[in-house]
Amino acid sequence: MEPFLEKFFPSVLKKMADSAHNAYCVFDSQILTLFTSSLYIAGLASSLVASRVTRAMGRKATMVLGGCTFLVGSAINCAAINVAMLILGRIMLGFGLGFTNQAAPVYISEMAPPKWRGAFNTGFQLFIGIGVLFATIINFIAAQLGSWGWRFSLGLAAAPAAFMILGALLVTDTPSSLVERGKLTEARQALVKVRGVNSTVETELNELVEASEAAREVNQESCTTIFDRQYRPHLVISMAIPFFQQLTGINVVAFYAPVLFQSVGFGSDSALKGAIILGLVNLTSISLSMCMVDRFGRRVLFIEGGIQMLICQVALAWLLGKDLGFSGDQPLSQKSAIMILILMCFYGAGFGLSWGPLCWIVPSEIFPMRIRPTGQSTTVSVHFTTTFILAQTFLTMLCKFRYFVFLFYGGWIIVMTVFIVCFVPETKGVPLESMHIVWERHWYWNRFTPRTG
C-alpha cells in the first residue's frame, strides 16, 4: 500500500516511481524484508522454549499463551509510528506463532482417531489457507481506505488472536498431556468427551499411562534424549521436512505474491486480485488433500506435489526469461502475465495438496510421547529458521538471480522428492503409540530402531 510505503519505506516508493527501474529489483530493501522476516526469528526464539512450556503447562495453556502474545503484537503494529514499532509488533507476533505452531499440531495429533488423523491435521493447514485468503482480501479492501488502510489491515490481526484465546479456553487438554502431568481422572474425562460417551476408553487410557511411565524411565525432561541413536530417524525427518518445505519457495511466493505480480507487470490492485486467486486455489487444494491423505497416504501426495511444483517452477523461469529477459527492463505482455498467474496457481495447488499440510502432519505423528514436545519444537525451530533466512534474502535473490531464482527452488524440489522416496515411511492409519513399527520395517531406518519383540 502506497501510504504504508510512504510512511515507513519511502526509498521503495521512489524506486517504484522510477520509469527506468529493473522489474526484478523494485522491492529490494533489507529494512522492508526485515519487517516481514523479524516474525520468524522471534518464532524461532519462542519455539526453543515452547517444548518445555507445552510439557509443563499442557497443549491448551500454550495455545492461550500464544494467542495473548499475538494479540499484543497486532495492537503494536496497528499503533506503529516508526519502523522500530513495526518490527517490535512483528516480533511479538512471532512469539505467538512459535507457541501455537508448537502446541496446535501436537494437540490435533493426540486428539484425533488414528484412521482420521491425517484429515484432522490437514485441517491445521486448511485454516492457515483460509487465514491467508482472508488476509489478502482484507488487504485489498484496506488498500481502498486511504492513508489509514494499512492500520486497519495490521490491527485486524487481533481478531484471529482473540478466536485462538477463546477457542483454547473452551476445549479440554489432550489425554496424553493430562496423563503426562499425572491428571488421570481428567484424562479419562477428556477421552470420554472426545471418543464419545459410549466408547470404551480404558484400553486407550492404559496405553497412554504405560507410554507415560516408559517416558519417565528414560528421563523425558532431557532435551538431549532426541539425539539418542534410536531416535535418529525421527530427528532427521523432523528437521528435513520443514527445511525442504520452505525450499519449495512457497512462503516467499505467498508473502510476496502482490510484490512479485506487481514487479512483473500487474498493477497494484491487479496484484492483490492475483494473490486472492492464488489463495483460493491453495485453499481448494488443501481441502482436496484432506479427502486424500488418509486414503492414498502421505508418500503419494508428497511425490505428486513435488513433480507438479517442479514443472511449474521450470515453466515460470522459462516464461520470465523469454519476456522480461535477464535485465528485467523489457515490457511483459498481458498474455504472459496471465500465464504467470496460471502457473502460480498450479504451483500453489501442488503445494496445498502435499507439502503444505504434510509438513505438519508427519512430524507431529512420528514421535513417541517421551520426546513428542521436543520433536515438535525441533520441527517448528527449523521451520522458522529456514523461513527467516529465505524471507530476508528472497527479494535480493530475485534482484540478483532474476528468473533463475525459480530454477534454484526447482533444484531443491528434485532433492526433496528423492528424499521422500528413499527415507520417509508411510504413516497412514498407524496409531501414535505403535509408530515404532514403521521404523522397524523401513529398509534404512531399521538399523537405528531396537526391535520391540
Side-chain angles (χ1 to χ4, degrees), residues 191-407:
L191 277 172
V192 170
K193 185 174 183 179
V194 173
R195 303 295 185 238
V197 177
N198 297 323
S199 299
T200 303
V201 299
E202 291 303 321
T203 301
E204 186 173 354
L205 179 62
N206 290 335
E207 290 176 354
L208 292 175
V209 171
E210 290 174 7
S212 180
E213 290 174 351
R216 290 193 184 96
E217 291 176 3
V218 295
N219 188 18
Q220 66 174 359
E221 291 299 325
S222 175
C223 289
T224 61
T225 302
I226 197 173
F227 295 102
D228 291 353
R229 178 180 172 81
Q230 63 179 316
Y231 300 127
R232 191 73 49 78
H234 312 70
L235 180 63
V236 170
I237 290 176
S238 70
M239 296 177 69
I241 286 181
F243 174 75
F244 284 142
Q245 190 217 39
Q246 294 309 301
L247 283 167
T248 61
I250 187 62
N251 266 352
V252 289
V253 169
F255 289 127
Y256 296 115
V259 171
L260 191 60
F261 289 146
Q262 197 168 346
S263 293
V264 297
F266 288 68
S268 179
D269 283 355
S270 297
L272 284 170
K273 290 176 183 176
I276 291 172
I277 294 171
L278 190 60
L280 283 168
V281 170
N282 185 52
L283 192 59
T284 302
S285 63
I286 295 171
S287 301
L288 183 61
S289 180
M290 288 185 71
C291 302
M292 298 174 65
V293 67
D294 288 316
R295 176 174 298 181
F296 298 104
R298 285 61 162 151
R299 283 167 52 87
V300 170
L301 296 185
F302 266 132
I303 295 167
E304 192 284 329
I307 294 171
Q308 183 172 330
M309 288 188 291
L310 175 62
I311 293 171
C312 292
Q313 294 279 33
V314 173
L316 278 167
W318 175 80
L319 189 61
L320 287 172
K322 180 177 71 73
D323 270 39
L324 283 181
F326 192 77
S327 63
D329 55 3
Q330 301 178 35
L332 188 72
S333 67
Q334 184 179 9
K335 181 180 178 181
S336 293
I338 293 172
M339 282 301 301
I340 287 172
L341 178 58
I342 292 172
L343 286 170
M344 285 284 194
C345 288
F346 274 104
Y347 168 79
F351 178 84
L353 187 68
S354 58
W355 282 88
L358 293 175
C359 176
W360 300 107
I361 293 175
V362 175
S364 70
E365 65 187 5
I366 62 174
F367 290 102
M369 184 189 296
R370 67 190 67 172
I371 58 168
R372 194 171 296 150
T374 304
Q376 184 64 19
S377 181
T378 302
T379 298
V380 174
S381 297
V382 173
H383 176 86
F384 278 128
T385 300
T386 313
T387 307
F388 169 74
I389 294 170
L390 293 179
Q392 188 63 32
T393 59
F394 173 69
L395 291 179
T396 299
M397 286 177 62
L398 181 64
C399 181
K400 301 297 183 184
F401 289 8
R402 317 298 167 93
Y403 57 87
F404 284 105
V405 71
F406 294 103
L407 297 179

Side-chain angles (χ1 to χ4, degrees), residues 53-68:
V53 174
T54 304
R55 183 183 294 117
M57 298 173 56
R59 289 49 162 159
K60 172 179 176 176
T62 306
M63 289 189 287
V64 172
L65 177 61
C68 291

Side-chain angles (χ1 to χ4, degrees), residues 72-87:
V72 172
S74 60
I76 294 174
N77 271 346
C78 181
I81 57 174
N82 52 44
V83 174
M85 282 188 70
L86 277 181
I87 293 176

Side-chain angles (χ1 to χ4, degrees), residues 82-151:
N82 52 44
V83 174
M85 282 188 70
L86 277 181
I87 293 176
L88 176 61
R90 291 287 288 182
I91 289 173
M92 296 301 293
L93 296 178
F95 281 128
L97 285 183
F99 285 116
T100 52
N101 276 359
Q102 159 72 20
V106 173
Y107 184 96
I108 295 169
S109 283
E110 292 180 344
M111 293 295 258
K115 65 177 180 178
W116 296 328
R117 191 173 59 242
F120 274 77
N121 265 292
T122 304
F124 179 74
Q125 186 69 25
L126 174 68
F127 280 93
I128 289 177
I130 291 173
V132 170
L133 177 61
F134 269 88
T136 310
I137 293 172
I138 289 167
N139 281 342
F140 179 74
I141 296 171
Q144 322 300 320
L145 300 179
S147 60
W148 60 276
W150 64 269
R151 292 192 186 275

